[in-house]
PDB file of all heavy atoms in Angstrom:
ATOM      1  N   TYR J 207      43.421  14.612  28.591  1.00  0.00           N
ATOM      2  CA  TYR J 207      43.171  15.357  27.367  1.00  0.00           C
ATOM      3  C   TYR J 207      44.396  16.129  26.893  1.00  0.00           C
ATOM      4  O   TYR J 207      44.639  16.255  25.694  1.00  0.00           O
ATOM      5  CB  TYR J 207      41.958  16.274  27.508  1.00  0.00           C
ATOM      6  CG  TYR J 207      42.153  17.493  28.374  1.00  0.00           C
ATOM      7  CD1 TYR J 207      42.527  18.701  27.818  1.00  0.00           C
ATOM      8  CD2 TYR J 207      41.954  17.446  29.742  1.00  0.00           C
ATOM      9  CE1 TYR J 207      42.698  19.824  28.592  1.00  0.00           C
ATOM     10  CE2 TYR J 207      42.123  18.547  30.533  1.00  0.00           C
ATOM     11  CZ  TYR J 207      42.494  19.751  29.955  1.00  0.00           C
ATOM     12  OH  TYR J 207      42.670  20.857  30.726  1.00  0.00           O
ATOM     13  N   ARG J 208      45.198  16.647  27.820  1.00  0.00           N
ATOM     14  CA  ARG J 208      46.375  17.411  27.406  1.00  0.00           C
ATOM     15  C   ARG J 208      47.400  16.532  26.701  1.00  0.00           C
ATOM     16  O   ARG J 208      47.960  16.897  25.678  1.00  0.00           O
ATOM     17  CB  ARG J 208      47.018  18.084  28.616  1.00  0.00           C
ATOM     18  CG  ARG J 208      46.212  19.235  29.149  1.00  0.00           C
ATOM     19  CD  ARG J 208      47.009  19.968  30.219  1.00  0.00           C
ATOM     20  NE  ARG J 208      46.215  21.003  30.825  1.00  0.00           N
ATOM     21  CZ  ARG J 208      45.720  20.937  32.056  1.00  0.00           C
ATOM     22  NH1 ARG J 208      45.961  19.893  32.810  1.00  0.00           N
ATOM     23  NH2 ARG J 208      44.993  21.924  32.533  1.00  0.00           N
ATOM     24  N   ARG J 209      47.654  15.377  27.275  1.00  0.00           N
ATOM     25  CA  ARG J 209      48.650  14.489  26.689  1.00  0.00           C
ATOM     26  C   ARG J 209      48.156  13.900  25.374  1.00  0.00           C
ATOM     27  O   ARG J 209      48.925  13.723  24.432  1.00  0.00           O
ATOM     28  CB  ARG J 209      49.012  13.380  27.667  1.00  0.00           C
ATOM     29  CG  ARG J 209      50.231  12.607  27.214  1.00  0.00           C
ATOM     30  CD  ARG J 209      50.660  11.606  28.223  1.00  0.00           C
ATOM     31  NE  ARG J 209      51.399  12.241  29.300  1.00  0.00           N
ATOM     32  CZ  ARG J 209      51.886  11.579  30.333  1.00  0.00           C
ATOM     33  NH1 ARG J 209      51.700  10.281  30.431  1.00  0.00           N
ATOM     34  NH2 ARG J 209      52.548  12.196  31.276  1.00  0.00           N
ATOM     35  N   ILE J 210      46.857  13.601  25.279  1.00  0.00           N
ATOM     36  CA  ILE J 210      46.301  13.090  24.024  1.00  0.00           C
ATOM     37  C   ILE J 210      46.382  14.160  22.950  1.00  0.00           C
ATOM     38  O   ILE J 210      46.739  13.882  21.804  1.00  0.00           O
ATOM     39  CB  ILE J 210      44.851  12.593  24.218  1.00  0.00           C
ATOM     40  CG1 ILE J 210      44.858  11.320  25.057  1.00  0.00           C
ATOM     41  CG2 ILE J 210      44.172  12.353  22.878  1.00  0.00           C
ATOM     42  CD1 ILE J 210      43.494  10.776  25.390  1.00  0.00           C
ATOM     43  N   ALA J 211      46.081  15.412  23.319  1.00  0.00           N
ATOM     44  CA  ALA J 211      46.173  16.507  22.348  1.00  0.00           C
ATOM     45  C   ALA J 211      47.618  16.683  21.876  1.00  0.00           C
ATOM     46  O   ALA J 211      47.871  16.868  20.680  1.00  0.00           O
ATOM     47  CB  ALA J 211      45.651  17.801  22.956  1.00  0.00           C
ATOM     48  N   ALA J 212      48.568  16.600  22.790  1.00  0.00           N
ATOM     49  CA  ALA J 212      49.983  16.707  22.417  1.00  0.00           C
ATOM     50  C   ALA J 212      50.377  15.556  21.504  1.00  0.00           C
ATOM     51  O   ALA J 212      51.118  15.755  20.527  1.00  0.00           O
ATOM     52  CB  ALA J 212      50.852  16.726  23.669  1.00  0.00           C
ATOM     53  N   ARG J 215      49.011  16.239  18.075  1.00  0.00           N
ATOM     54  CA  ARG J 215      49.731  17.342  17.419  1.00  0.00           C
ATOM     55  C   ARG J 215      51.109  16.925  16.929  1.00  0.00           C
ATOM     56  O   ARG J 215      51.468  17.195  15.791  1.00  0.00           O
ATOM     57  CB  ARG J 215      49.879  18.525  18.381  1.00  0.00           C
ATOM     58  CG  ARG J 215      48.681  19.442  18.404  1.00  0.00           C
ATOM     59  CD  ARG J 215      49.015  20.734  19.115  1.00  0.00           C
ATOM     60  NE  ARG J 215      49.405  20.539  20.502  1.00  0.00           N
ATOM     61  CZ  ARG J 215      48.570  20.548  21.529  1.00  0.00           C
ATOM     62  NH1 ARG J 215      47.293  20.749  21.333  1.00  0.00           N
ATOM     63  NH2 ARG J 215      49.008  20.370  22.761  1.00  0.00           N
ATOM     64  N   VAL J 222      45.092  20.358  16.415  1.00  0.00           N
ATOM     65  CA  VAL J 222      43.969  20.221  17.346  1.00  0.00           C
ATOM     66  C   VAL J 222      44.352  20.896  18.660  1.00  0.00           C
ATOM     67  O   VAL J 222      45.507  20.875  19.070  1.00  0.00           O
ATOM     68  CB  VAL J 222      43.608  18.728  17.553  1.00  0.00           C
ATOM     69  CG1 VAL J 222      44.724  17.976  18.217  1.00  0.00           C
ATOM     70  CG2 VAL J 222      42.339  18.563  18.333  1.00  0.00           C
ATOM     71  N   GLY J 223      43.363  21.499  19.306  1.00  0.00           N
ATOM     72  CA  GLY J 223      43.599  22.173  20.569  1.00  0.00           C
ATOM     73  C   GLY J 223      43.187  21.314  21.748  1.00  0.00           C
ATOM     74  O   GLY J 223      42.421  20.352  21.609  1.00  0.00           O
ATOM     75  N   ASP J 224      43.698  21.691  22.913  1.00  0.00           N
ATOM     76  CA  ASP J 224      43.374  20.953  24.137  1.00  0.00           C
ATOM     77  C   ASP J 224      41.879  20.982  24.421  1.00  0.00           C
ATOM     78  O   ASP J 224      41.292  19.982  24.834  1.00  0.00           O
ATOM     79  CB  ASP J 224      44.123  21.547  25.334  1.00  0.00           C
ATOM     80  CG  ASP J 224      45.619  21.308  25.268  1.00  0.00           C
ATOM     81  OD1 ASP J 224      46.075  20.602  24.348  1.00  0.00           O
ATOM     82  OD2 ASP J 224      46.329  21.829  26.140  1.00  0.00           O
ATOM     83  N   ARG J 225      41.266  22.139  24.224  1.00  0.00           N
ATOM     84  CA  ARG J 225      39.845  22.295  24.537  1.00  0.00           C
ATOM     85  C   ARG J 225      38.965  21.368  23.697  1.00  0.00           C
ATOM     86  O   ARG J 225      38.024  20.756  24.205  1.00  0.00           O
ATOM     87  CB  ARG J 225      39.446  23.766  24.325  1.00  0.00           C
ATOM     88  CG  ARG J 225      37.991  24.071  24.500  1.00  0.00           C
ATOM     89  CD  ARG J 225      37.584  23.997  25.932  1.00  0.00           C
ATOM     90  NE  ARG J 225      36.154  24.182  26.066  1.00  0.00           N
ATOM     91  CZ  ARG J 225      35.566  24.602  27.139  1.00  0.00           C
ATOM     92  NH1 ARG J 225      36.264  24.887  28.202  1.00  0.00           N
ATOM     93  NH2 ARG J 225      34.272  24.734  27.182  1.00  0.00           N
ATOM     94  N   LEU J 226      39.292  21.249  22.414  1.00  0.00           N
ATOM     95  CA  LEU J 226      38.510  20.374  21.540  1.00  0.00           C
ATOM     96  C   LEU J 226      38.653  18.916  21.972  1.00  0.00           C
ATOM     97  O   LEU J 226      37.664  18.175  22.018  1.00  0.00           O
ATOM     98  CB  LEU J 226      38.944  20.532  20.079  1.00  0.00           C
ATOM     99  CG  LEU J 226      38.221  19.650  19.060  1.00  0.00           C
ATOM    100  CD1 LEU J 226      36.720  19.920  19.077  1.00  0.00           C
ATOM    101  CD2 LEU J 226      38.781  19.860  17.678  1.00  0.00           C
ATOM    102  N   VAL J 227      39.863  18.507  22.313  1.00  0.00           N
ATOM    103  CA  VAL J 227      40.084  17.133  22.779  1.00  0.00           C
ATOM    104  C   VAL J 227      39.307  16.904  24.070  1.00  0.00           C
ATOM    105  O   VAL J 227      38.687  15.857  24.260  1.00  0.00           O
ATOM    106  CB  VAL J 227      41.587  16.847  22.972  1.00  0.00           C
ATOM    107  CG1 VAL J 227      41.813  15.495  23.617  1.00  0.00           C
ATOM    108  CG2 VAL J 227      42.304  16.921  21.636  1.00  0.00           C
ATOM    109  N   TRP J 228      39.299  17.898  24.963  1.00  0.00           N
ATOM    110  CA  TRP J 228      38.550  17.796  26.214  1.00  0.00           C
ATOM    111  C   TRP J 228      37.059  17.609  25.940  1.00  0.00           C
ATOM    112  O   TRP J 228      36.393  16.759  26.544  1.00  0.00           O
ATOM    113  CB  TRP J 228      38.804  19.046  27.052  1.00  0.00           C
ATOM    114  CG  TRP J 228      38.095  19.064  28.345  1.00  0.00           C
ATOM    115  CD1 TRP J 228      38.427  18.415  29.487  1.00  0.00           C
ATOM    116  CD2 TRP J 228      36.885  19.786  28.646  1.00  0.00           C
ATOM    117  NE1 TRP J 228      37.521  18.690  30.480  1.00  0.00           N
ATOM    118  CE2 TRP J 228      36.561  19.530  29.987  1.00  0.00           C
ATOM    119  CE3 TRP J 228      36.066  20.631  27.907  1.00  0.00           C
ATOM    120  CZ2 TRP J 228      35.448  20.075  30.597  1.00  0.00           C
ATOM    121  CZ3 TRP J 228      34.955  21.174  28.521  1.00  0.00           C
ATOM    122  CH2 TRP J 228      34.663  20.896  29.852  1.00  0.00           C
ATOM    123  N   GLU J 229      36.510  18.421  25.010  1.00  0.00           N
ATOM    124  CA  GLU J 229      35.083  18.322  24.678  1.00  0.00           C
ATOM    125  C   GLU J 229      34.751  16.950  24.085  1.00  0.00           C
ATOM    126  O   GLU J 229      33.742  16.336  24.446  1.00  0.00           O
ATOM    127  CB  GLU J 229      34.696  19.415  23.682  1.00  0.00           C
ATOM    128  CG  GLU J 229      34.629  20.801  24.269  1.00  0.00           C
ATOM    129  CD  GLU J 229      34.337  21.870  23.229  1.00  0.00           C
ATOM    130  OE1 GLU J 229      34.119  21.519  22.042  1.00  0.00           O
ATOM    131  OE2 GLU J 229      34.349  23.056  23.602  1.00  0.00           O
ATOM    132  N   LEU J 230      35.603  16.488  23.173  1.00  0.00           N
ATOM    133  CA  LEU J 230      35.330  15.201  22.532  1.00  0.00           C
ATOM    134  C   LEU J 230      35.465  14.049  23.521  1.00  0.00           C
ATOM    135  O   LEU J 230      34.699  13.081  23.457  1.00  0.00           O
ATOM    136  CB  LEU J 230      36.262  15.005  21.334  1.00  0.00           C
ATOM    137  CG  LEU J 230      36.053  15.990  20.177  1.00  0.00           C
ATOM    138  CD1 LEU J 230      37.090  15.777  19.095  1.00  0.00           C
ATOM    139  CD2 LEU J 230      34.657  15.899  19.606  1.00  0.00           C
ATOM    140  N   MET J 231      36.409  14.145  24.434  1.00  0.00           N
ATOM    141  CA  MET J 231      36.533  13.107  25.458  1.00  0.00           C
ATOM    142  C   MET J 231      35.315  13.089  26.366  1.00  0.00           C
ATOM    143  O   MET J 231      34.860  12.022  26.794  1.00  0.00           O
ATOM    144  CB  MET J 231      37.810  13.298  26.275  1.00  0.00           C
ATOM    145  CG  MET J 231      39.059  12.864  25.547  1.00  0.00           C
ATOM    146  SD  MET J 231      40.544  13.029  26.520  1.00  0.00           S
ATOM    147  CE  MET J 231      40.346  11.678  27.692  1.00  0.00           C
TER     148      MET J 231
END
Side-chain angles (χ1 to χ4, degrees):
Y207 73 94
R208 288 188 185 108
R209 191 175 281 179
I210 290 177
R215 275 193 299 270
V222 65
D224 291 355
R225 175 71 185 204
L226 179 59
V227 173
W228 180 79
E229 287 176 3
L230 295 176
M231 284 182 73

